[in-house]
């Protein structure tokens, strides 16, 4: 699920989590958070991710089996 992956990465790289870290670590995680946000925003704008964070097109039905 795309929204779950986004939330996991956002939690991991959120600047508040790294407030007490050294400057290089804070900067690296701030940049990673910006990348995570940009990709998620692009997926939302493109329509690849629906409003609930799931892929907007359902998976294809399975191919019919032999009869």
């Amino acid at each position: 699920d795309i929204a779950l992956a986004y939330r996991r990465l956002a939690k991991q790289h959120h600047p508040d989590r790294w407030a007490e870290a050294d400057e290089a670590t804070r900067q690296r995680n701030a940049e990673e958070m910006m990348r995570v946000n940009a990709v998620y925003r692009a997926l939302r704008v493109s329509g690849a991710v629906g409003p609930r964070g799931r892929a907007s097109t359902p998976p294809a039905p399975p191919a019919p089996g032999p009869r």
Side-chain angles (χ1 to χ4, degrees):
D1 187 49
I2 295 170
L4 289 176
Y6 167 75
R7 285 193 289 271
R8 181 181 55 80
L9 288 169
K11 186 176 182 180
Q12 180 180 348
H13 296 291
H14 195 279
D16 289 348
R17 181 173 183 185
W18 302 99
E20 301 295 322
D22 61 277
E23 180 64 28
T25 302
R26 284 195 314 265
Q27 184 66 31
R28 185 174 58 249
N29 281 284
E31 290 170 1
E32 187 63 24
M33 189 69 214
M34 285 189 284
R35 281 193 290 273
V36 167
N37 285 333
V39 168
Y40 189 66
R41 189 177 311 114
L43 288 171
R44 295 289 306 260
V45 169
S46 74
V49 177
R52 302 185 113 193
R54 298 186 189 278
S56 61
T57 55
R67 291 189 172 224

